[in-house]
Amino acid sequence: MFNYCLKNGGIMKLLIGPHQAFIMTEPDECLIVANACMNKPYLYEFGKDCYGRGLVTAKESTWKPHRKLLNPAFNLQVLNKFIAEFNVQARELVSLLEPKVGKESFDVQPYLVSNSLKNVCRTTLGFREQDQIMVDKDYAQATENLFHLFGERIPKFWLHVPFLYNLSSLKRKENKLTGVTKRVINGIIKKRRSEMKLNSNYEMNSDSKSDKFKPLLDQMLELAENQDAFSDEEIREHLDTIVAAAFDTTATSMTYTLLVIGSDSVMQERIYKELKSELGDRDVTKHDLPKLVYLDAVLKESLRLYAPVPLAARNVDSDIQIRNYTLPAGSTCVFSLYGINRHSMWGADVEEFRPERWLNPETLPKNPNAFATFGIGKRVCLGRSYSMMAMKTTLAHILRRYRVFGDINKVLSRSDILMKPVTGHHIRLELRM
């Protein structure tokens, strides 16, 4: 559908029963609508019981003040303090992968999911090793199943009617899964608040000059205590949103990236030489990340062609004129992030995996909105820099230790809420001497 729209004028109308939806692939037109209409369409309300006031699903009236409060938690000074933890988890991942060296191909995604989940739990929730078991199994599985459930509901338009959905077996499944996620996160919030009250000098509550990071949960609890900024339910919804949005998308992106790298030995050797030149055998630091320019280019090109989130959408609040079309109030506008990333402004080789395009500004589109993997407009992903830092650090450790083999051309993907590989995505590892 997105490819058809891309090749036939960049805008098309889709009828979902009586409801009008407009698919768009022109970056500037998407930006106009994205910034004029800040509320998400009713489809996002499918996740309201779990993620209601989180940044992805919140209404504009909630999103604006909460985004402003959360922005400082994702500035570069804060994120740089997470790199030490990214290194710790990357080293553990490399060790866990070692038994696979020299063996037959295997599915690397579960290893990457575990790594990404640990990263986000340590930095967002402030977990220590003994806490991790709380989310490693039940929470992660429940979150993935919720995404499958939302994806199953979308094409069954009769289940868009709340009354009918509330009578369905899908709703019963959702209630069960949401109960799991709420129980886990509410338990974490309660435990964390008790620890902070018991010890006002709690080790994670470090000042801004310390090298220790302050988890997002601590910052939100302090805002709740000192400024009455969040209720416990709002904190839970934000944490659920951030954890769910971070670990699965990051793991999926790294899976595609490793497959691409494993398909091109020349590209892989160039990355390896850069890593050895800039890092040697030591951990990654905040000063190293900007120097890993080729790894950065490969990762961005992978994110362009294999964006884990293929679309975003807005509710059209008032009539908007786009060219000779009117998007009527009450309709839905779907931004094809997949389509924007494949727009003709990327050049005749738009479908080719060519990281070199990122090394020369002259070969990139002049339009800054042409790269839309992290969204478009004011509601762009808050965790973009966090995700890039975590992925680059993790990939640096893997590719410095192992030679990867895979075949991106054999990969078949599916999309529920996220785009994920379902077959042909196994890789093989060899130890670098």
Side-chain angles (χ1 to χ4, degrees), residues 4-17:
Y4 178 86
C5 181
L6 190 64
K7 295 171 183 176
N8 290 274
I11 186 168
M12 61 183 283
K13 183 165 73 172
L14 178 69
L15 292 177
I16 307 173

Side-chain angles (χ1 to χ4, degrees), residues 343-397:
H343 195 279
S344 59
M345 67 178 62
W346 285 94
D349 58 357
V350 62
E351 294 288 346
E352 295 178 22
F353 191 94
R354 201 171 68 80
E356 289 74 19
R357 74 175 82 244
W358 294 92
L359 303 179
N360 181 1
E362 296 301 315
T363 61
L364 288 173
K366 299 298 184 282
N367 191 325
N369 301 307
F371 181 58
T373 295
F374 293 95
I376 192 165
K378 295 176 182 177
R379 292 192 73 159
V380 70
C381 176
L382 178 62
R384 173 176 179 162
S385 295
Y386 175 99
S387 178
M388 290 296 293
M389 292 170 75
M391 288 191 288
K392 284 174 71 174
T393 302
T394 304
L395 289 169
H397 280 267

Side-chain angles (χ1 to χ4, degrees), residues 5-222:
C5 181
L6 190 64
K7 295 171 183 176
N8 290 274
I11 186 168
M12 61 183 283
K13 183 165 73 172
L14 178 69
L15 292 177
I16 307 173
H19 187 73
Q20 296 183 84
F22 294 86
I23 315 298
M24 299 175 63
T25 59
E26 289 294 322
D28 288 339
E29 293 172 355
C30 290
L31 184 67
I32 290 170
V33 180
N35 286 338
C37 305
M38 303 291 283
N39 283 313
K40 302 292 183 74
Y42 78 94
L43 293 174
Y44 283 74
E45 294 184 7
F46 291 178
K48 67 179 180 181
D49 286 346
C50 190
Y51 307 112
R53 285 157 292 187
L55 291 182
V56 173
T57 52
K59 294 185 181 300
E60 180 183 8
S61 57
T62 300
W63 174 84
K64 274 189 174 180
H66 284 197
R67 173 76 181 238
K68 187 175 181 179
L69 287 167
L70 292 173
N71 273 337
F74 288 86
N75 67 38
L76 192 58
Q77 184 180 5
V78 173
L79 296 182
N80 281 336
K81 295 180 180 181
F82 295 162
I83 296 176
E85 187 62 40
F86 294 158
N87 279 301
V88 169
Q89 298 308 323
R91 289 197 303 270
E92 180 180 337
L93 173 61
V94 167
S95 296
L96 291 172
L97 290 174
E98 191 161 350
K100 297 294 184 180
V101 172
K103 305 290 180 61
E104 61 185 18
S105 298
F106 69 101
D107 183 2
V108 72
Q109 177 117 348
Y111 293 86
L112 298 175
V113 166
S114 177
N115 166 262
S116 300
L117 190 57
K118 287 178 180 177
N119 273 333
V120 72
C121 286
R122 298 297 206 279
T123 57
T124 301
L125 306 178
F127 273 16
R128 290 156 296 191
E129 189 67 35
Q130 61 268 32
D131 298 319
Q132 192 66 39
I133 195 171
M134 298 172 70
V135 297
D136 269 351
K137 184 178 179 182
D138 292 346
Y139 183 88
Q141 189 62 54
T143 298
E144 184 169 357
N145 289 340
L146 276 170
F147 284 176
H148 291 329
L149 187 149
F150 299 148
E152 186 177 347
R153 184 182 178 187
I154 287 172
K156 297 178 179 178
F157 62 87
W158 59 93
L159 292 183
H160 293 197
V161 180
F163 172 74
L164 294 178
Y165 180 65
N166 289 337
L167 298 175
S168 70
S169 60
L170 276 187
K171 177 58 176 173
R172 292 191 290 276
K173 290 179 184 177
E174 181 192 337
N175 289 342
K176 185 176 181 180
L177 294 170
T178 302
V180 172
T181 60
K182 286 182 178 180
R183 183 175 66 252
V184 171
I185 296 298
N186 282 336
I188 292 165
I189 293 171
K190 183 178 179 180
K191 178 182 178 184
R192 196 70 171 177
R193 178 179 275 120
S194 297
E195 289 175 332
M196 292 174 70
K197 285 183 177 179
L198 284 172
N199 186 356
S200 59
N201 296 316
Y202 187 60
E203 63 178 354
M204 298 306 289
N205 289 334
S206 53
D207 60 48
S208 60
K209 294 181 181 180
S210 169
D211 287 335
K212 288 185 177 180
F213 60 81
K214 181 184 291 187
L216 177 62
L217 174 54
D218 283 14
Q219 298 177 57
M220 294 181 74
L221 288 172
E222 288 176 5

Side-chain angles (χ1 to χ4, degrees), residues 97 100 103-109 111-112 254-260 262-263 398 402-407 424-430:
L97 290 174
K100 297 294 184 180
K103 305 290 180 61
E104 61 185 18
S105 298
F106 69 101
D107 183 2
V108 72
Q109 177 117 348
Y111 293 86
L112 298 175
M254 286 197 291
T255 299
Y256 280 116
T257 303
L258 286 173
L259 283 162
V260 168
S263 304
I398 294 172
Y402 302 121
R403 186 176 282 106
V404 180
F405 299 87
D407 189 349
H425 59 288
H426 289 198
I427 66 168
R428 187 167 58 83
L429 299 177
E430 285 185 4

Side-chain angles (χ1 to χ4, degrees), residues 25 268 303:
T25 59
Q268 186 165 181
L303 289 168

